């Protein structure tokens, strides 16, 4: 009967741990909150207005006509009512937490609190994904259905799925571009292209700008700085996991991947002030106004029903080019590589007028184009039988053999370098070759 006792104790202690439970969702999204402007105690809508200036200084004209003063841009942050309503067996959760059966000696108040908080922790953590990739669906059955996330809002604004029914994020408006395929070898150039294309007034604002992306893309950028012939960049712009800056931006642009950005389809450049998030019902003290209810299940005394509700939603304060730049992309984290079975070749002594040969086996992985094979140096005494290796040949089982020939015409030592390189992939291999001609 221990599990029935625990269920009763859980219900009786519900009010004691009410504030801890209601604080948990806010704690779980805290990494995102650090990068956004948070409006608490918001149930419903909050509309902000920005004046979009249109003024121009023009040459003096006593008969000139007045200019339009610009326009007022309004955007509304809406929070939506969300709920967590569950029925569970406390003993099963206890076994999950502590990997042992429940005993009477373990029925203590700290255990009760642990079970409560652990159950809501899982649900609260999923709110991070809603912040970025949520798609509002009032009939939905998961956390992503509560409200539209930032990445979803970008897609909707591109398609004109807004109040004005007009696309507000487009290339023509200067706040969007297609970045295409991002790989470990072009990631630095692509992210810098997004920055370079952004409107001057956005980059010249006094605020730190954040470039939001999946962790996989930021990891590629760190590796690009460290390993992609840019070692000096890493020393300047990579300051540990929590301090990664876009190169040559005077550390004004911070690359960030907060929880929930794993599946976003756009890289978003904006300021903290422009990212709005509203909540109500969750938090501590006066903010903990949400409903929290624990009760025994009506027909099963071993089970407990828990009900928690809150309000949450996100939106951009503005999406014009002065405040936002974004780019669609696809990330390809596949490693591109080529290797050889030898690191150098020494032909030794070869009689003048005769030849000797050695093979180099070249193997490739995820190549996107052919490999070019050339010989540098050696006065023409070293040659190769293939100047091009197709990607298919290199990636086939066993790779592709290239025959190197040494044909001295006089006595003396000769040396050269066989170079295997790609025009599109980051591949450049050098194999030193040596040989001595004798009479």
């Amino acid at each position: 009967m221990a599990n029935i006792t625990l269920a009763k104790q859980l219900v009786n202690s519900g009010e004691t741990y009410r504030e801890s439970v209601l604080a948990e969702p806010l704690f779980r999204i805290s990494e995102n909150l650090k990068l956004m402007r948070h409006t608490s105690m918001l149930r419903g809508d909050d509309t902000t207005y920005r004046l979009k200036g249109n003024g121009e200084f023009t040459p003096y004209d006593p008969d000139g006509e007045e200019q339009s003063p610009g326009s007022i841009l309004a955007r509304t942050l809406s929070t939506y009512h969300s709920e967590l309503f569950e029925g569970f067996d406390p003993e099963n959760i206890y076994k999950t937490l502590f990997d042992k059966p429940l005993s009477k000696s373990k029925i203590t108040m700290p255990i009760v609190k642990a079970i409560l908080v652990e159950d809501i922790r899982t649900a609260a953590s999923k709110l991070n994904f809603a912040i970025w990739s949520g798609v509002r669906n009032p009939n939905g059955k998961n956390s992503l259905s509560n409200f539209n996330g930032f990445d979803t809002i970008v897609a909707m604004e591109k398609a004109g799925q807004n109040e004005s029914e007009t696309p507000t994020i487009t290339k023509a408006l200067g706040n969007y571009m297609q970045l295409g395929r991002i790989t470990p070898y072009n990631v630095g150039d692509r992210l810098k292209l997004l920055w370079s294309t952004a409107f001057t007034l956005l980059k010249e604002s006094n605020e730190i700008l954040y470039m939001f992306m999946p962790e996989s893309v930021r990891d590629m950028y760190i590796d690009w700085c460290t390993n992609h012939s840019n070692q000096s960049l890493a020393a300047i712009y990579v300051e540990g996991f929590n301090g990664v800056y876009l190169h040559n931006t005077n550390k004004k642009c911070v690359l960030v991947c907060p929880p929930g950005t794993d599946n976003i389809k756009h890289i978003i450049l904006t300021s903290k002030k422009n990212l709005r998030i509203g909540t109500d019902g969750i938090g501590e003290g006066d903010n903990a106004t949400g409903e929290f209810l624990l009760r025994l299940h009506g027909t099963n005394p071993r089970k407990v029903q828990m009900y928690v509700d809150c309000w949450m939603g996100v939106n951009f304060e503005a999406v014009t080019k002065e405040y936002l730049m974004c780019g669609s992309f696809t990330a390809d984290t596949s490693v591109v590589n080529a290797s050889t079975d030898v690191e150098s070749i020494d032909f030794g002594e070869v009689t003048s007028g005769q030849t000797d040969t050695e093979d180099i086996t070249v193997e490739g992985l995820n190549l996107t184009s052919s490999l070019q094979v050339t010989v540098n140096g050696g006065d023409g005494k070293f040659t190769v039988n293939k100047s091009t290796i197709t990607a298919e040949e290199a990636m086939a089982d066993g790779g592709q053999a290239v025959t190197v020939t040494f044909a001295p015409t006089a006595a003396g030592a000769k040396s050269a370098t066989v170079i295997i390189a790609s025009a599109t992939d980051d591949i450049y291999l050098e194999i030193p070759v040596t040989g001595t001609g004798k009479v």
Side-chain angles (χ1 to χ4, degrees):
M1 299 298 291
N3 51 2
I4 296 178
T5 303
L6 179 60
K8 291 181 178 179
Q9 185 172 2
L10 193 58
V11 171
N12 293 337
S13 66
E15 189 61 31
T16 304
Y17 297 115
R18 177 178 181 278
E19 186 168 324
S20 296
V21 170
L22 293 177
E24 190 65 25
L26 212 59
F27 175 74
R28 289 294 146 189
I29 63 171
S30 60
E31 291 302 310
N32 273 296
L33 292 180
K34 293 175 184 177
L35 302 170
M36 300 171 187
R37 186 154 63 94
H38 181 206
T39 301
S40 60
M41 303 184 74
L42 175 61
R43 298 191 184 191
D45 300 335
D46 180 41
T47 301
T48 56
Y49 302 89
R50 282 183 182 265
L51 177 64
K52 179 177 172 58
N54 193 39
E56 295 281 356
F57 279 100
T58 61
Y60 173 73
D61 181 356
D63 300 319
E65 298 181 356
E66 69 272 11
Q67 304 173 40
S68 169
S71 58
I72 295 177
L73 305 177
R75 288 189 69 86
T76 300
L77 170 64
S78 300
T79 62
Y80 298 91
H81 194 188
S82 306
E83 65 178 10
L84 170 66
F85 183 39
E86 292 186 347
F88 58 91
D89 185 334
E91 182 164 352
N92 287 339
I93 293 182
Y94 182 91
K95 291 178 181 178
T96 301
L97 281 172
F98 302 101
D99 195 27
K100 62 179 66 174
L102 185 67
S103 64
K104 289 185 178 181
S105 62
K106 294 296 184 182
I107 305 176
T108 62
M109 298 302 282
I111 295 303
V112 171
K113 179 180 179 181
I115 292 176
L116 273 175
V117 174
E118 178 66 21
D119 194 53
I120 196 171
R121 179 180 295 140
T122 302
S125 296
K126 296 175 183 178
L127 292 174
N128 289 299
F129 294 93
I131 289 172
W132 290 100
S133 301
V135 179
R136 171 69 177 164
N137 178 7
N139 299 316
K141 301 300 181 182
N142 56 44
S143 297
L144 292 176
S145 302
N146 290 307
F147 53 87
N148 293 326
F150 287 113
D151 194 56
T152 303
I153 294 170
V154 169
M156 295 175 66
E157 296 288 346
K158 285 166 54 181
Q161 298 173 2
N162 48 32
E163 291 184 4
S164 66
E165 298 184 353
T166 303
T168 58
I169 295 180
T170 68
K171 181 179 179 181
L173 293 175
N175 53 5
Y176 170 72
M177 69 177 299
Q178 291 180 329
L179 289 172
R181 179 171 168 261
I182 295 180
T183 72
Y185 305 100
N186 70 8
V187 59
D189 298 325
R190 297 287 174 155
L191 297 184
K192 189 60 185 296
L193 177 62
L194 184 69
W195 170 267
S196 301
T197 308
F199 190 51
T200 302
L201 291 182
L202 171 62
K203 295 183 289 187
E204 290 183 351
S205 67
N206 294 325
E207 300 174 87
I208 293 294
L209 297 181
Y210 295 95
M211 192 176 284
F212 294 87
M213 63 192 66
E215 185 176 1
S216 60
V217 176
R218 196 176 80 152
D219 285 348
M220 281 196 288
Y221 179 78
I222 294 174
D223 291 340
W224 182 84
C225 287
T226 306
N227 303 320
H228 193 261
S229 302
N230 299 298
Q231 288 85 352
S232 60
L233 294 180
I236 301 172
Y237 298 108
V238 180
E239 299 179 358
F241 186 79
N242 293 317
V244 181
Y245 303 89
L246 185 63
H247 60 287
N248 300 330
T249 62
N250 198 27
K251 295 189 176 181
K252 183 179 176 63
C253 179
V254 186
L255 309 188
V256 291
C257 50
T261 54
D262 293 358
N263 300 319
I264 62 175
K265 306 301 181 184
H266 302 87
I267 293 177
I268 299 172
L269 175 67
T270 192
S271 65
K272 173 180 179 177
K273 184 178 180 180
N274 197 43
L275 296 177
R276 298 197 63 197
I277 179 169
T279 64
D280 193 30
I282 53 177
E284 298 178 335
D286 294 338
N287 292 324
T289 59
E291 183 75 23
F292 172 58
L293 176 66
L294 280 175
R295 64 186 181 191
L296 289 174
H297 193 281
T299 59
N300 186 345
R302 289 180 172 82
K303 293 185 68 175
V304 170
Q305 289 180 326
M306 178 171 67
Y307 179 86
V308 182
D309 72 349
C310 67
W311 283 256
M312 188 176 294
V314 302
N315 206 345
F316 296 100
E317 182 162 282
V319 297
T320 56
K321 63 182 179 180
E322 294 86 355
Y323 305 100
L324 175 72
M325 180 66 187
C326 54
S328 58
F329 73 99
T330 56
D332 184 355
T333 59
S334 302
V335 176
V336 179
N337 186 53
S339 61
T340 61
D341 62 339
V342 296
E343 296 184 356
S344 62
I345 297 175
D346 182 9
F347 285 93
E349 292 186 340
V350 178
T351 301
S352 176
Q354 296 184 2
T355 63
D356 194 6
T357 60
E358 293 284 349
D359 285 343
I360 300 173
T361 300
V362 181
E363 294 183 299
L365 178 65
N366 297 321
L367 300 178
T368 63
S369 65
S370 299
L371 301 173
Q372 306 304 314
V373 185
T374 58
V375 179
N376 184 25
D379 298 328
K381 304 304 183 289
F382 299 95
T383 58
V384 292
N385 69 329
K386 287 181 71 70
S387 60
T388 300
I389 303 173
T390 68
E392 291 75 15
E393 290 172 334
M395 292 190 292
D397 290 343
Q400 174 64 49
V402 175
T403 300
V404 183
T405 301
F406 178 42
T409 57
K414 294 292 181 181
S415 63
T417 303
V418 175
I419 299 173
I420 302 171
S422 169
T424 59
D425 298 322
D426 185 37
I427 292 172
Y428 188 87
L429 305 175
E430 293 184 341
I431 299 101
V433 294
T434 57
T436 302
K438 69 175 183 177
V439 178

